[in-house]
Amino acid sequence: MNTESFDQHPDTCGCCQGEVPAPTHENRPGQAALAYRIGTHAAFLQRMLARLSQQEIPDGTNQGQRPLAALTTREPEDPAVALLAAWATVSDVLTFYQERIANEGFLRTATERRSILEMARAIGYELNPGVAASTYLVFKVDESASTPDTATIPAGTQVQSIPAAQGELPQTFETTEEFEARVAWNALQPRTTEPDTIVIAKTGLYLHGVSTQLQPGDAIVIV
């Protein structure tokens, strides 16, 4: 089929359908997400198919001719159409990430913590890094006669807490370094108090018990 006969005959194959116009976006203030894509796979494919029969040779002896006007098939199995479908997929993926990058550039629409961090850095503010919870752990070595007196606790040993109230979830803690546990240390008890040194410059004092009946302004004599 040459160019002249193609122009003179009505479209019976769907190859002369108009292309989908690129969308225009008007993002109003206060939206949770920005619309930034210029098309999807279906729109890109339809645009490329619509331009097949209209593509002209820009220069040379065949300038102005449309060599692809004779390509009237629009079957997905056709190699030319399959190639366009592949490029439509590439365009679909690129515009998807382009829209995501555009959303990450604004405080209201950003979803990644790194985006918030970089925007804060632009005005001289540095976010503090997250700090994991920590606690003290007590390991007790089995005192059976058939077990060794020592045991090595490797780094990364996981210990799970017991929820204290209904609805709470257990928390997992890990040891930060390797250490040795001994049977003899099972009898060690943590010290809950320590001697208080009284000096003239001291401004605070801890008393034993909670029923001291002291009131604000009471005088205390230390013997």
Side-chain angles (χ1 to χ4, degrees):
M1 180 184 295
N2 56 31
T3 304
E4 289 74 20
S5 61
F6 180 82
D7 293 337
Q8 294 172 1
H9 288 77
D11 177 25
T12 58
C13 60
C15 53
C16 294
Q17 294 180 356
E19 62 180 273
V20 178
T24 57
H25 302 298
E26 294 182 2
N27 291 294
R28 297 181 179 180
Q31 294 188 9
L34 300 178
Y36 201 74
R37 299 185 71 173
I38 61 173
T40 59
H41 179 276
F44 288 127
L45 180 58
Q46 185 173 346
R47 290 176 201 168
M48 289 187 286
L49 290 175
R51 294 179 183 179
L52 274 179
S53 59
Q54 303 172 6
Q55 197 69 29
E56 296 182 355
I57 298 177
D59 51 22
T61 56
N62 297 321
Q63 182 179 3
Q65 294 187 12
R66 294 184 289 176
L68 297 178
L71 182 62
T72 59
T73 180
R74 294 298 182 265
E75 296 297 328
E77 296 82 5
D78 184 81
V81 178
L83 179 62
L84 295 183
W87 277 109
T89 302
V90 173
S91 302
D92 183 75
V93 173
L94 287 177
T95 54
F96 170 80
Y97 285 106
Q98 185 181 39
E99 185 177 67
R100 291 310 318 144
I101 293 174
N103 277 267
E104 294 302 315
F106 298 90
L107 187 61
R108 180 183 292 273
T109 58
T111 59
E112 299 290 336
R113 185 180 184 276
R114 179 60 182 270
S115 302
I116 306 298
L117 186 147
E118 295 297 341
M119 283 187 281
R121 283 178 176 172
I123 59 174
Y125 180 79
E126 189 71 26
L127 296 178
N128 291 327
V131 179
S134 62
T135 187
Y136 292 101
L137 300 175
V138 176
F139 290 87
K140 186 176 182 180
V141 181
D142 188 0
E143 299 180 2
S144 302
S146 59
T147 58
D149 294 337
T150 61
T152 300
I153 310 299
T157 300
Q158 295 186 351
V159 178
Q160 202 170 56
S161 65
I162 300 176
Q166 185 177 3
E168 294 183 355
L169 297 177
Q171 303 298 319
T172 301
F173 295 86
E174 295 183 355
T175 55
T176 56
E177 59 184 13
E178 180 181 300
F179 63 94
E180 184 182 79
R182 301 181 182 180
V183 173
W185 292 347
N186 288 346
L188 293 178
Q189 297 293 330
R191 187 173 66 176
T192 58
T193 61
E194 63 177 331
D196 197 356
T197 303
I198 306 300
V199 295
I200 296 178
K202 192 174 184 63
T203 58
L205 186 66
Y206 290 96
L207 301 178
H208 181 70
V210 295
S211 301
T212 59
Q213 298 182 355
L214 289 175
Q215 301 296 327
D218 288 351
I220 299 177
V221 178
I222 301 176
V223 180

